[in-house]
Each structure stands twice: as structure tokens, then as C-alpha cells.
Amino acid sequence: MTTPSSPPFVTLRHLRLAPDESARRAAEFAAHLDTRRTTRHFSPEPVPRAWIEHAIRAAGTAPSGAHQQPWTFVAVSDPELKQRLREAAEDEERRFYAERITPEWRAALEPLGTDAVKTHLTDAPWVVVLFRHAHGVNADGSKRTFYYTQESCGIAAGLFIAAVHTMGLVTLTHTPSPMGFLGELLGRPANEKAFLVLPVGYPAPDAQVPAISRKPLAEIAVFR
């Protein structure tokens, strides 16, 4: 009787740091990310494509369910296409603010100053749309089940945001409601669902951010 073959494995390549170096890196990384802010005000100053490629590569290192890597990042720099994205997004957002939003949701958004006007989609030199693969597609066209796609794409988005901040740029997490128009405008297959819109660039010289603060460690962590 034959036994199923084991999947191939390789030896983990891992550099163990001295404790003081680990402590230094941990503190510096936390302090670095603590300077990250979300802004809606972007400069049109160009950003090299290579920088966006690096950010996407970083995002692509995220762990994913069954290592299926259920994501596609569509990076848009074409001004005409960005304008079309903005017009479609604003059309949906106007309906959202006029018809779909609940009073509680409106109150929660009020301190952030969000509205249906999405200038960031045309001001930012890049608009990166993250698509989640709801399922895979086999060579014969049949469906292949993918696992934990929401969680996997959420982790990848976090790494992308951290990479953008590390290179000295800013981004905004934008989720038009609904987002079906993104797949149509960007020509994505039916199994890919828009997950997040991330304009990327330098902040405008007069960029503003909400006067809000993050919760302290004691309110977000429990050690047992």
C-alpha cells in the first residue's frame, strides 16, 4: 500500500537577533507606525511605479488561508481612468449618504469629515484597488474553494499600508458602498471582489487630519 507523499518542505531561514536588538527594533517599529496618519488630501506629485511595486510585494508576503494568496492589487495611474473611478465612486457615495446611511453611522463618521466628494481618487498619483478572490478558478473553469479570504486580504492590506508609510508616503482606506463598479471599470473577473481602495502619494502641503487619538495599550491589550 502506498502512502500519500508529504508536501515538500525546506529549512526555515531565520536570523535570531540579540535581545537588545530585538527590543530596539520593536520599539522603533511601533514608534514609526505611531506616526502614520490617514489623510484625504493628496499632492499630485508623481510617485515612481517601482515604489508601488515594492509595496505590493510587501503585501504579497502576508500569510493566507492554505497559502492560496487570494488577492489582486490593481494599481491605477492613468488620469482618465482615475477620473472614471472617481465619478462612479461619488455616484455611489451620494446615494449612500442620501439613502443608505443610518443616523448612528452618520454620527460615527462626523468627526472624520467624510462625505461623498472623493478628490483623493484624482489627486493621488496612484489608486491601488485590492481585490479579494472569493474563490479560485480551475483550468477547466470550475470553482476551487478558497479559505479565509477576508482575513487574508485584511492582513495583506495592513502590510501594504505599513509599506507605504515606511517609504514616506500616505494612503487612505476607502470603501465605496457598494463596490461592484470597480470590478467592471478595471476589468476583473467575476470571482474577484473589490475589497479596499487605497490612493497613494505624498500628502498635500496643506493636508489636514482629524484631531483624534489612538487608544493606549491598556485599552487594546490583555496579558494573561
Side-chain angles (χ1 to χ4, degrees):
M1 182 177 67
T2 60
T3 58
S5 59
S6 299
F9 278 77
V10 296
T11 301
L12 173 66
R13 297 172 59 185
H14 174 259
L15 175 62
R16 180 162 179 164
L17 303 174
D20 59 343
E21 178 64 9
S22 291
R24 183 189 68 80
R25 292 192 186 190
E28 287 186 355
F29 186 66
H32 170 63
L33 287 186
D34 194 41
T35 65
R36 188 201 62 78
R37 292 301 306 267
T38 295
T39 183
R40 293 160 57 88
H41 306 133
F42 287 81
S43 165
E45 182 178 353
V47 167
R49 170 175 164 167
W51 298 10
I52 305 301
E53 291 176 352
H54 286 312
I56 295 173
R57 287 193 185 97
T61 69
S64 60
H67 193 57
Q68 291 168 321
Q69 304 168 83
W71 45 64
T72 299
F73 290 80
V74 179
V76 180
S77 63
D78 178 70
E80 181 180 344
L81 183 51
K82 288 193 298 178
Q83 180 64 39
R84 291 168 61 196
L85 290 173
R86 176 180 171 181
E87 290 172 358
E90 289 183 337
D91 186 50
E92 292 291 358
E93 293 287 272
R94 280 191 292 271
R95 283 198 286 268
F96 168 75
Y97 281 98
E99 303 169 9
R100 304 180 187 130
I101 193 171
T102 64
E104 183 180 22
W105 197 346
R106 189 184 300 276
L109 291 176
E110 187 174 356
L112 305 179
T114 61
D115 56 30
V117 180
K118 306 301 177 185
T119 56
H120 50 267
L121 294 178
T122 46
D123 289 345
W126 290 93
V127 174
V128 179
V129 183
L130 169 54
F131 285 87
R132 176 184 65 87
H133 297 194
H135 59 81
V137 180
N138 294 312
D140 62 0
S142 60
K143 288 185 178 181
R144 183 168 75 258
T145 302
F146 275 0
Y147 305 96
Y148 301 107
T149 59
Q150 293 278 1
E151 295 85 347
S152 300
C153 286
I155 298 169
L159 291 180
F160 181 88
I161 292 166
V164 166
H165 180 64
T166 297
M167 68 178 75
L169 302 176
V170 294
T171 187
L172 165 72
T173 52
H174 178 197
T175 52
S177 179
M179 295 197 284
F181 69 91
L182 291 164
E184 297 173 10
L185 285 176
L186 297 176
R188 303 314 304 161
N191 67 308
E192 295 187 13
K193 309 300 181 183
F195 185 78
L196 198 60
V197 180
L198 298 139
V200 178
Y202 288 102
D206 58 349
Q208 299 287 302
V209 296
I212 54 179
S213 60
R214 296 184 172 97
K215 293 180 179 180
L217 181 65
E219 293 187 23
I220 65 171
V222 175
F223 296 89
R224 301 291 294 269

